[in-house]
Amino acid sequence: MEISDRVAILRKGQYIATVKTSETNENKLTEMMVGKKTTLNIDRTEPVNVQDRLLVEHLNLRNIDGTKVVNDVSFIARSGEILGIAGIAGSGQRELLEAIAGLKPGYKGDVIFNRPKKNLPVSFFHKTFREVVTMAKNGAFHYEDGTPVSFAGMSIKKIKELVNTEKVLFNEDEVYNLKNLNPRKIRELGVRLSFVPEDRLGMGLVGNMDLVDNMMLRSYRKGKGSKLNRKKPEALADEIVKELDVVTPSIHTPVRKLSGGNVQKVLVGREIASSPKVLMAAYPVRGLDINSSYLIYNLLNKEKEEGSAVIFVGEDLDVLLALCDRILVMCQGQVTGIVDARTTTKEEVGLLMTSTEKEEEVKENA
Amino acid sequence: MPEKMTAKKEKSKLFHVEKRFDMPLWQSILIRFGFIIVALFIGLLILTISYGVNPFDAIGSMFVGSFGTEKRIWDFLRDGVLLLGVGLALIPSFKMKFWNLGGNGQIIIGALVSVILMINLGGKYPDAVVLLIMIPSAILAGAVWAAIPAIFKALFNTNESLFTLMMNYVSVGLVNAFIMAKYPIGSHVIPRIDDAHFPSLYNGSLLIIIIIAVLLGGMVYYLKFSKHGYELSVVGESMNTARYVGINVKKVIIRTIIVSGALCGFIGCLLASGVDFTVTPETGNNMGFTAIMAVWLAKFNPIIAAGTSFFIVFITRGMTKVQSDNNIMNDATPNLIIGLIYFFIIGCEFFVEYKLLINKGGKEMKITEFIKSLFTSKVEKVKLPPEAEAAVEEEEVK
C-alpha cells in the first residue's frame, strides 16, 4: 500500500484486476484477493483470570555444533493472555519453543509448569484410587467448606462416592519441572502442552498419512492393548473439517495433497483439540493466504479466552501488536525486552529486535 | 524483446513432465498390464530372432512351467509363498525406510541354526522336540542377525544398507565354515538330513502355504491396526514428527528390525527343514533381494505383495521351462528377458506417477492426442494460446 502506484490482483492463478493504489483500500483489495467479502480484524479482549502458567528460567541451549542459540532466556507465560515473541528470523525463537516442548534435550535452565488444581475436584484429574487415598493421608485435599479430608475409618465405597460426586477438592496447585522431559513424558504427567511447529509437514504432521492418522499422532497411545482405535480420531477429523472449513476431498486424503492453509488448519485444529493449558505456535501463518491467517489468529484468541497460555512467534509486527497482550523480543538468542503490546510501538519493538546488548530497563507489565 | 525470446525458448521444449494426482485405479492397473504385455512381446521377439522359438509355444511353456502338472502347481505355490514370506519380513523395515538388504543373511543364518540342530539333535530326540527347539532358535538367530545393524544404526547412525549387506557375507562364511568343519573331505555338501523334518500336510507345500497365509493376515493387522505398525510408519515418514510426538525412535527401529529378522530366520527354518533338508551358501536362492523387488512393486502393501511375489515366481519358473524346452544352453537369454520384464514394470511407474506432455507447434498435448494428431491433420495451423495472442496485440498497440 505504501510503495505501489498500481496494484494487480491475482487469485488462484488468474488475473483479477489492476487498480490504482490511490483509489482503493485494504478491504477492497482483500475482497478481490479472496473473492468474497470478509471481515479482517483481530478482536483483542482483555485478559481475564490471569495466572502464571509457564515459568521459563535461565534457559540456555546450544546447537549441535556448539553455538549458543538460546542465551539465558527467562519469562512467564500467563493463562488468558497471548505472549508474542518477536525477533529477526533465526534469533532463537524456534529453538526456544522446541526446547520447551521437549524436542531439544540437554538444555540448561528450568521450565516450570504450574498446573492449576486448587479448589478443583479430584475426579477431574483421573488419579488412580490408590493414589487418591495416599494423597489424602498427606493432607492434599479439603472439602468444599474448607475442612481437611482424611479418609480414616471410611469404607471404600464411601470414599469413592465422595470423590466421584466432586466433593473432595485439591489444596494446592501442582507444579512440574518439564526440564529435559520428552513430549511423551510431558503428556504422561498430564500436562496439556500443545505445539504448532514451524515445519508443518516435516514435524507437525505426516504428509503421506490421511487426516485420521494425523489426528492420531497425539493420542494413539491411549487405550489398552496393542490395537489402534480409529473411531475417535475419525470423529475429530470430521469435526475439524467442519468447524474450520478445511477444503479436502475426504478425511482419508493424504494431508500433503491439501493446500498450505488447509494443512495448517488440520495441524492447529489437532493441537487445540486437547484443550491445551499452554499453546505454542511458531510462525503459524507463514505462507498462508489472508483468509486462513485471520482464521488462525481468531483460533489463538479463542484459546486465550478459554484460559490457555498462548505463546505466538510471529514475523509481522502489525499482527503482533494487534494480537498479543505482551511481546517478548529476542535478539541473537537473548531476551532484549518484554513490552506491553497495547502501549508499545513498532519502532520500539524494531529497535529491541536489533539491539544486541541486553537492555537494563526491561519494561515488564505486571 | 529479450523477455519474449526466453519465453519462446522455454516453450520450445519438446517434452514436459507433469505430476499426476488423480489417476483412477483401473487406469493405473491398465497401464501396468499394458507394460507387462509389451515387455513379454519384446522378450519373445528376442527369443524368436535368436533361437527361432515359436512365440506362442514359448507362452505355452511359461504356463506349463508353473501350472503344467499338479506337482508344478504345488511347487509354484510353495515358491510364491516363500518369496511372499520374505517380502512380509522386509515390509516393516522398508516401511520404516530402514533399507534392510540383509534378508539373505538372515534367512541363511536361520537355516544354518536349524540344520545344526537337525544334525545334532535329530534321531536322538523325537522330531517334535527338535522342532520345538529348532523353530525358536532359528527365529532368534535371524532376529539377532538383524538386530546387530539395527542397534548400530540406532545408537551410532551407521549406514544400514552397507551393514546389512555385509552381514550376508558373514553368514555365507559361517555356512562354509560349518560345512568344512563337519565334512572336511568329499564334495563339501551336507547330504540330505532325514530327521526332524517340518511336518507336512497332504504334501510338503500345503502347511507352508497355510503358515504364510496366516503370516500375511498377521502382517496386515500389524501394519494397519497395531500401535507398533503406526509408530514404524511415522518413523519412516519423518523422524522429526516421531520425535515431536515423543516416539522413542531408537526403540522403534530396533524393535521393527527384530521383527523383520525373526521372520527371515523363520523362513530360513522352513527352507532348511521343510524344503531343502540341508543348507548351502545358496540357501534362499537370493530371495532376500528378489523379495525387495516384490514388495517395492507392491508399494509395501502386504496383500499386493502376494500378487507381485507370485508374478515374479511365475516368470522365473516360466523362463526356466522355456529354456529347457528349447535347449537353450546359456542362462543369459532367460535372465535378459526376466530383466527386461522387471525393467518395464519398474519403468511404467513413471507413467503412473507422471504424465508426459508433448509440445507440437507451441501446443502441449498428451501422448494419445499427439499420436492422433499425427494421423488426422498433417497441416495444422499453429494456434497461439490466448495469452500469447493478447501479448502480440498489446505489442502492436504500443
Side-chain angles (χ1 to χ4, degrees):
Chain A
M1 291 301 286
E2 279 85 27
I3 59 165
S4 62
D5 296 317
R6 291 186 301 145
V7 181
I9 291 112
L10 302 173
R11 185 203 313 152
K12 289 185 178 162
Q14 279 190 327
Y15 172 74
I16 304 296
T18 304
V19 291
K20 283 188 177 161
T21 311
S22 54
E23 291 168 6
T24 186
N25 60 35
E26 269 178 41
N27 283 341
K28 275 188 195 163
L29 283 183
T30 316
E31 202 182 314
M32 281 189 273
M33 280 157 65
V34 177
K36 58 186 176 199
K37 259 205 156 99
T38 43
T39 49
L40 296 178
N41 47 22
I42 302 170
D43 297 320
R44 173 165 56 191
T45 52
E46 283 299 318
V48 286
N49 195 14
V50 177
Q51 285 175 314
D52 289 358
R53 179 59 52 77
L54 192 75
L55 283 76
V56 175
E57 285 171 354
H58 305 294
L59 199 145
N60 282 281
L61 176 69
R62 281 178 191 280
N63 233 347
I64 240 166
D65 54 11
T67 49
K68 231 174 190 181
V69 280
V70 179
N71 190 355
D72 200 36
V73 168
S74 301
F75 66 90
I76 299 171
R78 297 178 182 133
S79 62
E81 73 168 24
I82 298 184
L83 174 71
I85 297 184
I88 299 161
S91 300
Q93 306 97 310
R94 190 181 119 196
E95 287 82 2
L96 175 65
L97 293 204
E98 290 187 359
I100 296 171
L103 300 173
K104 297 267 178 194
Y107 60 81
K108 288 183 188 130
D110 292 304
V111 178
I112 311 286
F113 178 82
N114 192 5
R115 190 185 200 189
K117 279 187 165 177
K118 201 171 178 178
N119 297 332
L120 287 174
V122 175
S123 60
F124 284 11
F125 295 92
H126 309 294
K127 291 274 176 195
T128 64
F129 186 64
R130 190 188 294 264
E131 277 176 309
V132 169
V133 173
T134 338
M135 286 172 81
K137 265 186 197 159
N138 299 331
F141 311 131
H142 62 84
Y143 290 113
E144 277 160 330
D145 57 3
T147 51
V149 172
S150 79
F151 290 137
M154 274 185 210
S155 71
I156 293 169
K157 201 179 157 194
K158 173 83 180 157
I159 299 173
K160 276 190 176 164
E161 197 190 303
L162 279 173
V163 171
N164 289 336
T165 50
E166 303 179 5
K167 285 195 174 119
V168 183
L169 311 177
F170 279 97
N171 281 340
E172 292 295 330
D173 289 344
E174 216 168 320
V175 175
Y176 295 111
N177 193 345
L178 308 184
K179 183 182 182 178
N180 291 333
L181 292 181
N182 75 25
R184 183 176 180 174
K185 292 206 175 106
I186 292 175
R187 288 258 145 172
E188 279 167 2
L189 279 178
V191 172
R192 292 205 299 271
L193 179 120
S194 285
F195 177 35
V196 179
E198 186 182 357
D199 188 356
R200 283 155 217 161
L201 289 175
M203 184 180 265
L205 301 166
V206 179
N208 278 333
M209 287 185 174
D210 64 8
L211 269 70
V212 176
D213 281 13
N214 271 297
M215 289 303 138
M216 249 180 353
L217 274 171
R218 285 287 193 196
S219 58
Y220 77 95
R221 286 188 202 93
K222 276 182 195 159
K224 276 181 195 161
S226 63
K227 194 176 184 303
L228 287 173
N229 186 352
R230 281 197 170 80
K231 281 223 176 84
K232 276 184 187 166
E234 253 169 39
L236 179 61
D238 268 332
E239 197 187 314
I240 287 174
V241 167
K242 218 185 281 167
E243 300 248 314
L244 305 184
D245 291 324
V246 180
V247 181
T248 170
S250 91
I251 56 169
H252 297 293
T253 310
V255 287
R256 83 186 138 81
K257 291 195 177 174
L258 307 185
S259 72
N262 288 307
V263 168
Q264 187 70 330
K265 284 181 200 170
V266 171
L267 174 57
V268 174
R270 186 193 69 206
E271 287 303 296
I272 62 177
S274 58
S275 39
K277 291 290 169 196
V278 177
L279 172 63
M280 303 193 289
Y283 305 110
V285 299
R286 182 176 276 176
L288 298 197
D289 62 275
I290 196 152
N291 234 354
S292 307
S293 299
Y294 275 83
L295 184 100
I296 301 291
Y297 299 144
N298 289 333
L299 284 174
L300 294 181
N301 253 331
K302 211 177 118 207
E303 284 308 301
K304 162 189 164 182
E305 277 161 35
E306 286 177 5
S308 177
V310 181
I311 302 175
F312 167 73
V313 177
E315 286 171 308
D316 189 335
L317 283 186
D318 289 314
V319 171
L320 277 162
L321 290 180
L323 177 72
C324 303
D325 298 294
R326 290 181 304 143
I327 299 173
L328 179 149
V329 189
M330 286 182 80
C331 179
Q332 298 190 353
Q334 292 184 326
V335 177
T336 48
I338 298 177
V339 294
D340 183 349
R342 287 184 176 73
T343 55
T344 191
T345 58
K346 270 205 269 185
E347 287 71 27
E348 191 188 7
V349 175
L351 207 65
L352 287 170
M353 278 165 65
T354 50
S355 65
T356 44
E357 291 299 306
K358 209 169 183 177
E359 298 213 358
E360 289 301 314
E361 35 171 319
V362 176
K363 285 188 189 174
E364 196 157 357
N365 104 327
Chain B
M1 273 316 266
E3 279 164 31
K4 235 189 151 188
M5 292 285 281
T6 53
K8 210 175 177 186
K9 215 173 177 184
E10 259 175 49
K11 268 193 181 153
S12 64
K13 264 187 196 165
L14 188 56
F15 294 110
H16 179 73
V17 177
E18 216 170 77
K19 188 141 174 68
R20 280 181 205 265
F21 283 109
D22 45 355
M23 177 179 263
L25 188 69
W26 63 266
Q27 206 179 341
S28 67
I29 290 171
L30 209 68
I31 287 182
R32 291 192 176 100
F33 268 97
F35 270 84
I36 290 170
I37 287 165
V38 170
L40 270 177
F41 178 77
I42 295 175
L44 294 174
L45 204 68
I46 292 171
L47 273 180
T48 310
I49 291 168
S50 49
Y51 295 96
V53 176
N54 180 343
F56 296 103
D57 288 352
I59 293 176
S61 297
M62 285 189 81
F63 279 92
V64 170
S66 292
F67 309 110
T69 61
E70 198 193 324
K71 181 169 186 314
R72 278 185 198 279
I73 293 176
W74 282 112
D75 284 355
F76 165 75
L77 290 174
R78 188 198 61 205
D79 286 1
V81 294
L82 283 172
L83 185 62
L84 170 64
V86 181
L88 292 177
L90 294 180
I91 284 174
S93 58
F94 275 78
K95 249 194 135 162
M96 204 176 60
K97 301 224 165 74
F98 182 103
W99 310 121
N100 180 8
L101 306 183
N104 268 356
Q106 291 145 26
I107 294 168
I108 287 178
I109 211 77
L112 176 64
V113 166
S114 307
V115 163
I116 291 174
L117 292 172
M118 280 160 82
I119 290 174
N120 289 325
L121 304 180
K124 292 174 197 158
Y125 301 94
D127 281 2
V129 174
V130 180
L131 276 167
L132 279 179
I133 300 171
M134 187 170 77
I135 294 170
S137 309
I139 289 175
L140 188 71
V144 168
W145 215 245
I148 296 168
I151 289 169
F152 274 84
K153 163 88 176 176
L155 298 184
F156 308 114
N157 200 22
T158 53
N159 182 318
E160 74 277 12
S161 323
L162 278 176
F163 207 138
T164 48
L165 196 63
M166 292 304 134
M167 292 297 278
N168 291 340
Y169 298 106
V170 179
S171 62
V172 169
L174 283 178
V175 171
N176 281 328
F178 173 72
I179 296 174
M180 292 304 279
K182 195 86 186 168
Y183 305 93
I185 38 173
S187 58
H188 301 313
V189 175
I190 303 176
R192 185 188 147 104
I193 304 160
D194 290 323
D195 297 307
H197 285 184
F198 203 77
S200 63
L201 257 162
Y202 180 62
N203 61 22
S205 307
L206 185 59
L207 188 61
I208 295 177
I209 294 167
I210 292 170
I211 289 172
I212 305 283
V214 172
L215 264 183
L216 173 63
M219 190 51 74
V220 170
Y221 173 85
Y222 185 73
L223 292 174
K224 186 93 180 114
F225 299 107
S226 81
K227 290 177 183 173
H228 285 190
Y230 182 71
E231 279 179 344
L232 76 89
S233 1
V234 174
V235 170
E237 292 287 345
S238 158
M239 286 207 190
N240 266 336
T241 308
R243 291 197 190 100
Y244 164 79
V245 294
I247 292 174
N248 186 339
V249 174
K250 288 173 185 168
K251 193 176 126 190
V252 172
I253 288 178
I254 295 172
R255 184 183 68 203
T256 307
I257 299 311
I258 284 178
V259 169
S260 188
L263 284 179
C264 279
F266 178 63
I267 302 290
C269 175
L270 283 183
L271 278 172
S273 66
V275 181
D276 298 339
F277 310 112
T278 182
V279 66
T280 70
E282 283 84 40
T283 291
N285 198 15
N286 271 338
M287 278 202 300
F289 293 117
T290 318
I292 292 176
M293 200 166 75
V295 298
W296 208 295
L297 286 175
K299 298 226 167 79
F300 311 131
N301 179 325
I303 294 169
I304 301 176
T308 53
S309 300
F310 280 114
F311 177 73
I312 287 174
V313 169
F314 169 74
I315 54 172
T316 319
R317 292 184 72 90
M319 272 301 149
T320 314
K321 185 80 175 99
V322 170
Q323 192 185 359
S324 63
D325 279 0
N326 296 289
N327 295 320
I328 299 171
M329 286 305 170
N330 61 15
D331 278 343
T333 317
N335 282 343
L336 175 81
I337 292 162
I338 292 171
L340 202 68
I341 294 172
Y342 289 169
F343 177 78
F344 269 80
I345 296 172
I346 296 165
C348 84
E349 294 302 310
F350 174 82
F351 292 95
V352 176
E353 290 281 324
Y354 300 96
K355 60 182 161 201
L356 196 62
L357 298 170
I358 296 174
N359 193 317
K360 192 187 169 215
K363 196 180 157 195
E364 283 190 337
M365 52 181 84
K366 289 184 196 166
I367 301 174
T368 43
E369 289 171 352
F370 176 74
I371 294 168
K372 223 186 266 169
S373 75
L374 285 180
F375 291 106
T376 48
S377 58
K378 279 188 179 142
V379 194
E380 198 184 315
K381 201 189 153 209
V382 177
K383 240 182 140 186
L384 281 170
E387 309 96 85
E389 255 175 348
V392 171
E393 269 175 30
E394 217 174 13
E395 202 80 81
E396 280 168 5
V397 171
K398 273 186 183 171

